[in-house]
């Protein structure tokens, strides 16, 4: 059992604005909400506690809802101590709310390191040359043994409580790793992540949002429907004149179905049948653009954007070329995209197989989506 203890008790605002920075909006929600959600969603974390400053109760409730909070102290060290008093887990990860974007992989590395050491912290190598100096540049400082120390820092909870109890309160600690080392205990180093950089100054917010919005995902979809006489032929949201049409529970638009599955795939949200069960009579004869816009709305709800979609129809007939531009325009309109971001291709199977015999039409789709939360 491992707890996450997030220190969010700052009252000042070097970041500017009226609110303490941990409650300022970042990528669409209060900064604190990002790390609280990351820990709450991680399978290795069973308990989340947040230390806030007195008077921040309403802000905390708005930012993190039901997440448990305690009132912190005048310093970071005292805030951690107040949080430790209520932590019920044998291990604890202490984290600064000013590092909003916590990669799952870093949490995993810290937890793994705790199997072999009483403490563990993510670190990053120092890339820049370091030097002492006053008004003019002094001596270079060797950087081979220097590290940028990040959070979340993981500890045996009882050991961290001992470190806090033993600490001389006349001295301020920069972090918990320092306090634990003072006890003579080892703190293992694991690979950190630039996503964990602190957000401190006003200009940091834009940079953090840009980093956050850097995850690209692609996924594929595939669908087949049977060609039958007496059916309408809907392809890519366009009614195509033909002597046969596709049969299915809905309007059987094989193109929009494959594309819907590709979009759902980018957010691992199941498939079209998950959201629109064929057993549900309300989808009988339904226009398939509802399925497509539903998938797009799920992506938008996560702050994502569809960047590009690519479709390959597989059939002997009808000829797709004359309808390509109409399908492209229709799909672009449904997704709110420029037409150049919608690619429509077609191929035959040289009269081989069910598509070659004209028994059905198949469609392959791929979708590329940009999602926030690049670390998760
Ligand atoms: Mg289908």
């Amino acid at each position: 059992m491992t707890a996450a203890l997030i220190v969010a008790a700052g009252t000042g605002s070097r970041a500017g604005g009226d609110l303490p920075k941990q409650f300022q909006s970042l990528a669409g929600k209060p900064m604190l909400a990002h790390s609280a959600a990351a820990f709450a969603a991680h399978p290795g974390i069973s308990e989340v506690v947040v230390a806030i400053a007195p008077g921040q109760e309403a802000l905390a409730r708005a930012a993190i809802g039901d997440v448990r909070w305690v009132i912190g102290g005048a310093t970071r060290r005292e805030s951690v101590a107040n949080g430790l008093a209520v932590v019920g887990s044998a291990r604890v990860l202490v984290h600064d709310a000013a590092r909003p974007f916590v990669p799952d992989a870093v949490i995993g590395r810290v937890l793994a390191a705790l199997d072999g050491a009483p403490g563990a912290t993510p670190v990053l190598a120092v890339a820049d040359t370091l030097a002492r100096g006053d008004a003019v540049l002094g001596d270079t400082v060797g950087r081979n043994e220097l590290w940028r120390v990040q959070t979340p820092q993981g500890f045996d909870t009882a050991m961290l409580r001992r470190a806090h109890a033993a600490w001389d309160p006349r001295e301020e600690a920069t972090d918990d790793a320092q306090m634990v080392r003072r006890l003579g205990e080892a703190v293992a180093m694991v690979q950190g992540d630039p996503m964990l950089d602190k957000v401190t100054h006003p200009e940091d917010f834009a940079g953090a949002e840009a980093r956050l919005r850097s995850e690209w995902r692609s996924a594929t979809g595939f669908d087949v429907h049977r060609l039958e006489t007496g059916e309408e032929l809907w392809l890519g949201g366009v009614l195509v004149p033909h002597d046969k049409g596709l049969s299915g529970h809905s309007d059987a638009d094989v193109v929009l179905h494959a594309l819907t599955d590709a979009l759902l795939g980018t957010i691992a949200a199941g498939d079209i049948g998950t959201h629109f069960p064929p057993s549900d009579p309300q989808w009988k004869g339904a226009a398939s653009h509802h399925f497509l816009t539903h998938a797009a709305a799920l992506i938008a709800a996560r702050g994502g954007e569809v960047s590009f979609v690519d479709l390959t129809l597989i059939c002997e007939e009808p000829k797709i070329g004359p309808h390509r531009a109409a399908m492209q325009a229709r799909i672009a309109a449904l997704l709110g995209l420029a037409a150049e971001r919608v690619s429509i291709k077609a191929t035959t199977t040289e009269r081989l197989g069910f598509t070659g015999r004209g028994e059905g039409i198949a469609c392959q789709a791929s979708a590329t989506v940009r999602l926030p939360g690049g670390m998760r």
Side-chain angles (χ1 to χ4, degrees):
M1 298 281 277
T2 303
L5 169 54
I6 303 173
V7 186
T11 54
S13 184
R14 273 184 291 174
D18 297 331
L19 292 171
K21 68 179 175 186
Q22 66 271 29
F23 298 111
Q24 289 187 23
S25 180
L26 179 67
K29 52 186 180 180
M31 185 192 296
L32 169 60
H34 291 283
S35 57
F39 286 112
H42 196 284
I45 301 297
S46 47
E47 178 186 11
V48 178
V49 176
V50 179
I52 61 172
Q56 294 179 346
E57 293 87 345
L59 286 169
R61 205 170 290 120
I64 55 176
D66 293 334
V67 176
R68 188 176 185 190
W69 45 264
V70 297
I71 300 298
T75 65
R76 183 188 186 281
R77 179 178 55 79
E78 291 171 12
S79 294
V80 172
N82 291 359
L84 284 175
V86 306
V87 161
S89 303
R91 289 172 167 182
V92 60
L93 268 51
V94 182
H95 183 69
D96 293 319
R99 306 179 192 272
F101 305 134
V102 192
D104 279 354
V106 174
I107 297 174
R109 287 195 286 271
V110 172
L111 291 175
L114 288 178
D115 290 338
T121 184
V123 299
L124 284 179
V126 176
D128 297 319
T129 297
L130 298 175
R132 295 191 174 87
D134 191 353
V136 296
L137 190 66
D139 292 338
T140 297
V141 179
R143 65 184 182 216
N144 290 346
E145 296 180 351
L146 293 178
W147 300 93
R148 294 168 54 199
V149 179
Q150 302 183 313
T151 72
Q153 299 180 346
F155 306 97
D156 176 273
T157 306
M159 189 266 300
L160 184 57
R161 287 192 179 114
R162 283 203 308 281
H164 276 258
W167 191 260
D168 181 346
R170 290 169 297 185
E171 181 183 356
E172 261 332 307
T174 75
D175 64 4
D176 298 278
Q178 178 193 12
M179 301 174 69
V180 163
R181 289 188 57 253
R182 189 71 60 86
L183 276 190
E185 298 282 1
V187 177
M189 299 193 300
V190 302
Q191 179 67 37
D193 193 303
M195 287 296 291
L196 280 164
D197 282 353
K198 270 191 178 177
V199 176
T200 303
H201 300 107
E203 60 270 26
D204 297 341
F205 280 72
E209 289 186 347
R211 280 201 305 279
L212 186 67
R213 294 189 174 277
S214 65
E215 179 169 351
W216 294 84
R217 291 190 188 176
S218 61
T220 64
F222 179 72
D223 197 27
V224 171
H225 281 271
R226 182 186 300 274
L227 273 170
E228 289 183 359
T229 52
E231 296 275 4
E232 291 181 335
L233 179 57
W234 286 90
L235 291 174
V238 173
L239 183 58
V240 174
H242 192 51
D243 60 348
K244 291 179 179 175
L246 292 173
S247 76
H249 190 65
S250 65
D251 67 7
D253 189 325
V254 68
V255 178
L256 296 191
H257 292 188
L259 181 53
T260 299
D261 269 359
L263 290 176
L264 291 172
T266 64
I267 52 172
D271 58 31
I272 196 167
T274 312
H275 297 266
F276 305 97
S279 57
D280 188 336
Q282 71 170 304
W283 309 121
K284 184 163 177 54
S288 295
H289 63 79
H290 293 299
F291 309 157
L292 183 68
T293 53
H294 177 76
L298 290 177
I299 291 167
R302 298 187 187 202
E305 296 174 340
V306 179
S307 173
F308 183 73
V309 299
D310 183 48
L311 295 149
T312 303
L313 284 94
I314 305 165
C315 61
E316 299 290 334
E317 286 183 342
K319 293 294 174 221
I320 300 304
H323 308 288
R324 187 197 309 262
M327 288 182 207
Q328 185 185 37
R330 177 65 175 146
I331 292 169
L334 288 169
L335 295 177
L337 295 177
E340 63 167 20
R341 293 181 179 275
V342 178
S343 163
I344 310 271
K345 313 193 301 297
T347 188
T348 73
T349 48
E350 299 283 345
R351 305 216 166 266
L352 297 169
F354 70 87
T355 53
R357 294 188 295 271
E359 295 166 7
I361 296 178
C363 186
Q364 291 180 332
S366 83
T368 304
V369 165
R370 188 170 75 161
L371 285 172
M375 67 299 167
R376 307 213 37 231

